[in-house]
Amino acid sequence: VQLVESGGNLVEAGGSLTLSCTASGFTFDDYGIGWFRQAPGKEREAVSAISHIDETTFYDGHSYYANSVTGRFTISSDSAKNTVYLQMNRLTPEDTAVYYCARTEGVDGSTWHFDLFYDLWGQGTRVTVSP
């Protein structure tokens, strides 16, 4: 049971990157996935999340974004590949961080940004944005 992030790199400000989070060992469609990041010397913060679609609960496949990335980042999911993507555009040096994906049984608009709702974490992928 694991999550593996990839796609981190060094990019110039204004550039784009797409991060991938590939799941294995569990039923992908039963869970939502969140992206968090931790910049040097700072606390980990929530970036985005996508809840799973489950007709038996209230979780309906919504996506959520931190204010700092709204309009620049897009989260998407490919069930066939057990992968969640984070497309990051118009990157700035403030986006420099290690990015982690994490699994959640379900979040909504009021809970998605709390890491206590996530029970499985990847090892992280580093994104560096140069000025």
Side-chain angles (χ1 to χ4, degrees):
V1 178
Q2 63 177 356
L3 297 170
V4 178
E5 303 96 334
S6 61
N9 211 332
L10 170 64
V11 63
E12 292 183 350
S16 298
L17 280 176
T18 299
L19 304 183
S20 300
C21 172
T22 300
S24 62
F26 62 92
T27 303
F28 182 77
D29 288 345
D30 286 348
Y31 295 87
I33 296 291
W35 284 97
F36 292 74
R37 68 185 180 186
Q38 187 165 20
K42 295 187 177 181
E43 294 187 355
R44 186 169 59 192
E45 64 174 351
V47 175
S48 181
I50 185 165
S51 61
H52 66 288
I53 299 173
D54 186 341
E55 296 180 350
T56 66
T57 73
F58 297 109
Y59 304 124
D60 60 357
H62 275 166
S63 55
Y64 308 97
Y65 299 94
N67 289 339
S68 59
V69 306
T70 298
R72 300 188 299 123
F73 290 12
T74 302
I75 192 169
S76 61
S77 178
D78 186 340
S79 294
K81 296 182 178 180
N82 284 3
T83 299
V84 169
Y85 303 97
L86 186 68
Q87 172 69 45
M88 307 186 296
N89 298 324
R90 304 199 308 275
L91 287 161
T92 74
E94 288 68 37
D95 295 315
T96 295
V98 177
Y99 284 71
Y100 301 89
C101 64
R103 183 184 76 174
T104 176
E105 290 188 357
V107 289
D108 59 22
S110 64
T111 61
W112 76 271
H113 56 288
F114 291 112
D115 57 9
L116 64 90
F117 287 99
Y118 298 81
D119 66 346
L120 178 69
W121 294 77
Q123 83 290 346
T125 186
R126 185 174 300 275
V127 173
T128 304
V129 184
S130 62

